[in-house]
Amino acid sequence: MFRRMSSHLPAHEKGRGGSAEDEHQKRDDQNMYGRIRATMNRLLRSPQYAPPCGAADVVCATWNVAEEAPSGHSFAEWLRVDLGQRASRRPHFIVVTLQEVDMSVSALVAEYSEKGDAWCEAIHRQIGGQRHYVAVSPTQVVGLMLMVFVRADIAGQVRHVATDIVRLGKGGRLGNKGAVGLSLRYRGRAMCFIAAHLAQNAEGWQKRNDSYHQVIKDMAFEVGHTADAYFSLRREACLEEDRQADGGEKHVKKKKLGVLDDHDYVVFCGDLNYRLHDQKEEEARALIAGGAYAQLLKHDQLLLSIAQEEAFTGFVEADIAFPPTYKLHRHDNAYEESWEDRKGKVRVPAWTDRVVVWTAAAPDNRAVVRGYNSYDLRLSDHRPVSARIELDVWQMPRREAAAHFDTVAHVAEGMEKRAWTRRWFTRYLTPAYESLVDNAHGVSPAFHMSSSCDSPSATVYSLGSEAPSTPNGTPHSSQRRGLIGV
């Protein structure tokens, strides 16, 4: 499968090294793999060939820990993990983002600290360690961390893992504010998880919107060029053939995946720092005390930005039924008293810690948030938040999936080979045939080609009536309509 198409040039084209036709043919051969993969992608999303879908259970958790250490705290409720459950009932993915893990000067310079390791180890230990979950490329940039843990029994099905960082600090060079992203593919779906810590203060609304657009524009994930193929069971064979043809591993082609252009699901979470717009502090506190969150959320900058399509367009958030997560006393559930900072600004309680989800428009893509809440972990002036999300993915036993993908691969290869042959006839046979008729009869026939015949593997060639008849009056063979099989 996926044999390289050899360049079968007609005799009159051979020996023309460097001709435009020769270069065009060479590019056509090189693109054959890409064409087959693209056709497979389309077929596997069509009703006829799409595998049945099931839900991948994803827990996405965010917390600004304000440089505190993790010791002495239980995170089981926040991370929604019960080790007493059967493995098949636990989340497939646990995505954790922390902000302000370490904001020291040394961390700002190195963009790494031992505090980050301590948090990663503590969380991994509480969700069962390596026996139950596998850590996938934990990434830290200054105080921002992104950790993705994959359930051990499905870890082998996760492919094309890649990470990227976008710095949003001063001049775009410092990582005190920024975003970390991880891209992966699981059971036919490309997923992207982005952790962000955006600009602070109520007056930073536009800056936060601009930062979102910068993250979406600048973040890109470098993967092997076969990452767009949904049949990852055949990925290694394709890569090996490319290595042999290109002369080694270092020549294997790479491609970069964009955030929204190349993923089925994007989960964007973190301390997004959106505040309440034009909301008086006294009134906000009274509404919070009365549980009137819906009234307050009418002033929420993030929801207003989404509604006005100024940022996070297409993202959705589950209904918020928990109190604002900032700014509280570190060791009780009371919001900090009114105070003015050095710039004379008053801080109003707000939902700064958020989880939003984007789903690509496709008939078999579906994301449903089953739970969205904050938790009473009194470690910092933020309260942690987590969401449990169901993402539709392919649901087929491995052997059945391999057989199904082989079938679709053969169909896609056949379609592309027929299309390739039609292009070959158009490019090479048509000029040669016209030249042959011109030389034989001294006339220029009205040549017409059509590929709209009933047989998908044939191309119709017909010649006009200008060509002469034979001596017995019957039409010349060049006037007859015939099929050339492909």
Side-chain angles (χ1 to χ4, degrees):
M1 191 162 53
F2 299 124
R3 296 180 299 276
R4 290 188 176 274
M5 303 294 291
S6 57
S7 299
H8 299 294
L9 292 176
H12 70 284
E13 290 289 343
K14 292 181 179 179
R16 294 188 184 180
S19 68
E21 292 85 353
D22 195 15
E23 290 300 318
H24 197 108
Q25 179 67 38
K26 182 178 179 181
R27 288 195 302 271
D28 206 26
D29 290 347
Q30 292 173 345
N31 290 335
M32 177 55 69
Y33 287 151
R35 294 177 187 276
I36 294 174
R37 288 193 296 270
T39 302
M40 276 201 68
N41 294 345
R42 292 193 298 271
L43 289 175
L44 288 170
R45 289 302 179 91
S46 67
Q48 183 178 359
Y49 292 103
C53 286
D57 195 1
V58 179
V59 169
C60 187
T62 177
W63 194 5
N64 186 320
V65 297
E67 300 188 84
E68 295 288 343
S71 58
H73 292 83
S74 172
F75 308 129
E77 186 182 8
W78 170 47
L79 301 177
R80 300 169 181 257
V81 174
D82 183 0
L83 295 179
Q85 287 182 324
R86 293 171 51 189
S88 60
R89 297 181 62 86
R90 298 180 200 136
H92 295 78
F93 298 89
I94 298 177
V95 181
V96 182
T97 172
L98 304 176
Q99 305 85 41
E100 296 188 13
V101 172
D102 190 347
M103 302 301 290
S104 64
V105 175
S106 60
L108 187 64
V109 174
E111 296 192 334
Y112 162 82
S113 71
E114 293 182 356
K115 282 187 178 180
D117 288 341
W119 271 102
C120 187
E121 291 172 4
I123 290 174
H124 199 183
R125 183 171 58 253
Q126 293 202 25
I127 61 176
Q130 196 75 10
R131 177 183 175 186
H132 296 285
Y133 283 92
V134 177
V136 180
S137 299
T139 305
Q140 178 181 359
V141 51
V142 191
L144 178 63
M145 287 193 68
L146 175 62
M147 297 165 279
V148 177
F149 302 95
V150 182
R151 207 172 68 194
D153 61 317
I154 66 164
Q157 302 174 42
V158 174
R159 308 276 184 167
H160 308 301
V161 176
T163 60
D164 194 25
I165 295 172
V166 177
R167 295 169 180 82
L168 299 172
K170 189 172 182 179
R173 296 187 298 272
L174 297 181
N176 58 316
K177 291 291 188 290
V180 178
L182 183 141
S183 171
L184 60 84
R185 186 174 293 279
Y186 172 67
R187 290 196 175 186
R189 295 296 183 273
M191 304 178 185
C192 178
F193 304 105
I194 298 178
H197 191 189
L198 304 184
Q200 70 275 21
N201 297 328
E203 293 74 18
W205 185 1
Q206 186 58 50
K207 188 174 183 180
R208 288 187 281 275
N209 288 348
D210 293 341
S211 295
Y212 159 78
H213 290 292
Q214 183 177 344
V215 170
I216 296 299
K217 174 177 174 289
D218 293 348
M219 188 166 283
F221 304 95
E222 189 174 82
V223 295
H225 78 289
T226 57
D228 59 342
Y230 282 97
F231 60 112
S232 52
L233 295 175
R234 292 290 174 264
R235 182 174 72 94
E236 291 79 6
C238 296
L239 280 176
E240 182 58 32
E241 189 167 351
D242 285 336
R243 292 188 192 105
Q244 294 174 1
D246 296 335
E249 177 74 30
K250 65 180 180 180
H251 297 296
V252 173
K253 298 176 183 177
K254 297 286 185 179
K255 63 178 293 185
K256 288 195 173 183
L257 303 181
V259 174
L260 300 182
D261 292 338
D262 299 298
H263 291 92
D264 295 289
Y265 305 111
V266 178
V267 180
F268 204 114
C269 57
D271 183 0
L272 305 187
N273 253 324
Y274 282 93
R275 310 300 174 93
L276 297 178
H277 176 65
D278 197 21
Q279 177 64 56
K280 294 182 179 179
E281 182 183 6
E282 297 79 7
E283 183 181 352
R285 289 178 179 274
L287 291 171
I288 293 170
Y293 305 140
Q295 184 68 24
L296 273 178
L297 287 167
K298 294 179 181 179
H299 301 269
D300 183 78
Q301 293 176 345
L302 175 57
L303 295 180
L304 290 172
S305 293
I306 294 175
Q308 297 166 8
E309 298 188 351
E310 294 178 352
F312 292 92
T313 303
F315 282 82
V316 296
E317 183 180 28
D319 293 338
I320 294 177
F322 51 88
T325 57
Y326 177 82
K327 177 177 179 143
L328 297 98
H329 290 290
R330 290 178 181 247
H331 302 296
D332 61 44
N333 254 351
Y335 292 94
E336 284 195 357
E337 296 79 6
S338 175
W339 61 280
E340 294 187 1
D341 62 16
R342 289 174 297 178
K343 297 182 180 179
K345 300 172 184 176
V346 177
R347 296 182 187 273
V348 180
W351 288 273
T352 57
D353 309 277
R354 312 291 278 271
V355 178
V356 293
V357 183
W358 178 89
T359 305
D364 50 356
N365 281 348
R366 185 183 66 99
V368 179
V369 180
R370 296 297 184 189
Y372 190 33
N373 210 346
S374 66
Y375 298 88
D376 187 16
L377 288 174
R378 303 175 185 182
L379 185 66
S380 74
D381 53 0
H382 289 252
R383 293 297 177 262
V385 170
S386 69
R388 191 157 191 165
I389 309 167
E390 290 183 358
L391 306 177
D392 271 6
V393 297
W394 288 340
Q395 195 74 34
M396 292 183 74
R398 187 174 181 83
R399 290 186 179 181
E400 291 183 18
H404 180 73
F405 294 161
D406 275 345
T407 300
V408 178
H410 282 298
V411 172
E413 186 177 18
M415 291 173 64
E416 283 305 317
K417 281 186 176 180
R418 289 193 295 270
W420 181 91
T421 309
R422 284 194 292 271
R423 289 192 297 272
W424 186 88
F425 270 106
T426 303
R427 188 172 301 125
Y428 298 113
L429 180 63
T430 301
Y433 193 48
E434 286 178 325
S435 176
L436 178 64
V437 173
D438 290 346
N439 292 338
H441 304 291
V443 295
S444 177
F447 186 86
H448 173 70
M449 183 189 76
S450 171
S451 59
S452 60
C453 58
D454 295 336
S455 172
S457 61
T459 303
V460 179
Y461 293 87
S462 61
L463 294 174
S465 58
E466 289 89 341
S469 301
T470 56
N472 61 7
T474 60
H476 192 274
S477 60
S478 62
Q479 291 179 275
R480 300 189 188 114
R481 185 179 181 88
L483 295 179
I484 301 180
V486 176

